Amino acid sequence: MSRLREARLLGLLAVCGFVSLGLAACQDARAAEPGFSGGRAFADLKRLVAFGPRPSGSPALAKSRQEIVRQLQQAGVPVEDDNFVAATPLGSVPMTNLIAKLPGARPQVVIVAGHYETKRFDDFPFVGANDGGSSAAFLLELARVLARRKNELTFWLVFFDGEEAFEQFTATDGLYGSRHLVARLTANGELSRVEAMILVDMIGDAKLNICRDYNSTPWLTDLVFRSARRLGYGRYFSDEQRAYEDDHMPFVNAGVSAVDLLDFDYGPNNSYWHTPQDTVDKCSPTSFTIVGRVVLATLEELEKTARLK
Ligand SMILES: [Zn+2]
């Protein structure tokens, strides 16, 4: 997470009607499948954090990238490297987004994304368990679940490099991976295939509290929060409004519906954020399970609307 401005504003209500007739059999089959395991995601988190600080361009990030690719290959999920060189305040830095692609019955794409690098700090070792680790671990477990299913929509799980600023977060320092990907998808014409983007960031916090993001697309935010309430997880998804500038913004600015699921209440007064306190013991498998189930329920709602088109 890079920066936030608080804006306590009322959310817009979006009315989305969904028809569930004829889907009961499919849902029954899915209910019998092994679901999202917060325990497996937590094991991934521990493996990634064990590489130490993982800033962009570092050998430790290259090792965690190899681990992510290894886990995806074990799950049978094809993954592409999206290599680029970022112009940063510290000079040119090679970066790599990883894009796991799960083809569905339809060509329309829903992206679920998070960043996998950690912010560079020279004065202390920052291992970023929650900030950088949790989103990557979450995506690995989501890939395993989606790989076992026949999916209606095509899913791309994107592990962004370069979310964090090298100095101060500005329009040109930070969000390197997401800005690059949106530019590339715009240039090659693929952005029009992307129907929605769900971003996760700092969702491993043992005291889970995800607020509504004013910068996110209202109808998609409503869909996520309604799914959370339906699953009995409403208390973890607060109606308090914040405004986050995160990897969803290049998509929002390009006209793609996107939502940022971010818990920016990490420790007392957010005191674990970007500090040596951001360690695995502050995270919980239960938080991964909750967010995993909510994201999967949201994806299923998006698949229902795709069927109706
Ligand atoms: Zn951060």
Side-chain angles (χ1 to χ4, degrees):
M1 170 58 195
S2 305
R3 185 180 74 168
L4 88 168
R5 289 175 283 118
E6 287 212 24
R8 296 170 194 283
L9 297 166
L10 290 175
L12 295 171
L13 282 176
V15 180
C16 304
F18 296 102
V19 177
S20 57
L21 294 173
L23 297 169
C26 174
Q27 284 170 342
D28 287 349
R30 287 195 163 174
E33 292 172 358
F36 190 101
S37 165
R40 276 194 302 260
F42 203 72
D44 290 319
L45 176 69
K46 286 180 176 172
R47 275 192 293 271
L48 293 172
V49 169
F51 292 120
R54 307 174 300 285
S56 294
S58 68
L61 190 65
K63 282 184 192 161
S64 51
R65 190 158 51 242
Q66 287 166 4
E67 173 64 16
I68 289 167
V69 170
R70 191 176 72 85
Q71 293 292 334
L72 290 169
Q73 286 174 339
Q74 268 186 14
V77 178
V79 56
E80 295 175 6
D81 284 4
D82 175 25
N83 297 306
F84 62 103
V85 177
T88 82
L90 303 185
S92 296
V93 176
M95 295 191 185
T96 304
N97 296 326
L98 293 172
I99 309 175
K101 293 191 168 177
L102 295 123
R106 291 169 183 256
Q108 290 99 330
V109 173
V110 171
I111 290 177
V112 186
H115 72 105
Y116 75 102
E117 106 287 10
T118 56
K119 184 168 173 66
R120 174 185 167 144
F121 288 98
D122 293 330
D123 47 347
F124 68 93
F126 177 69
V127 299
N130 195 23
D131 194 359
S134 71
S135 32
F138 177 91
L139 292 175
L140 283 178
E141 176 59 8
L142 187 66
R144 294 185 195 106
V145 176
L146 293 175
R148 289 193 292 263
R149 297 181 167 189
K150 280 198 185 312
N151 298 304
E152 185 80 11
L153 290 167
T154 294
F155 294 120
W156 292 353
L157 307 187
V158 182
F159 300 73
F160 286 123
D161 200 343
E163 186 268 343
E164 302 283 4
F166 282 74
E167 292 178 342
Q168 290 282 322
F169 187 82
T170 66
T172 56
D173 189 13
L175 312 185
Y176 292 97
S178 51
R179 286 190 285 125
H180 163 79
L181 184 61
V182 167
R184 189 166 72 86
L185 295 177
T186 302
N188 70 13
E190 285 195 294
L191 196 70
S192 60
R193 286 177 63 195
V194 181
E195 299 234 319
M197 188 267 199
I198 299 173
L199 181 68
V200 294
D201 196 1
M202 298 174 68
I203 45 75
D205 183 1
K207 292 186 178 162
L208 188 65
N209 179 32
I210 292 172
C211 294
R212 294 179 66 101
D213 166 40
Y214 183 69
N215 290 333
S216 294
T217 307
W219 73 262
L220 189 55
T221 308
D222 287 340
L223 190 59
V224 172
F225 277 60
R226 211 165 42 235
S227 298
R229 282 197 298 275
R230 186 160 48 79
L231 293 172
Y233 295 137
R235 66 188 179 281
Y236 304 108
F237 286 75
S238 161
D239 280 332
E240 187 185 335
Q241 286 261 354
R242 306 276 183 92
Y244 298 131
E245 306 228 0
D246 207 342
D247 279 322
H248 62 318
M249 291 311 293
F251 289 84
V252 169
N253 293 335
V256 177
S257 296
V259 61
D260 188 13
L261 305 183
L262 168 67
D263 177 351
F264 206 61
D265 291 308
Y266 188 35
N269 299 314
N270 207 23
S271 56
Y272 300 160
W273 175 61
H274 287 181
T275 71
Q277 313 301 317
D278 185 1
T279 46
V280 167
D281 56 298
K282 313 300 191 314
C283 300
S284 157
T286 306
S287 299
F288 284 97
T289 300
I290 292 166
V291 179
R293 288 177 177 167
V294 170
V295 168
L296 281 166
T298 304
L299 297 182
E300 287 168 13
E301 293 295 327
L302 290 170
E303 290 196 309
K304 286 180 201 172
T305 56
R307 282 193 192 91
L308 298 176
K309 282 183 183 171

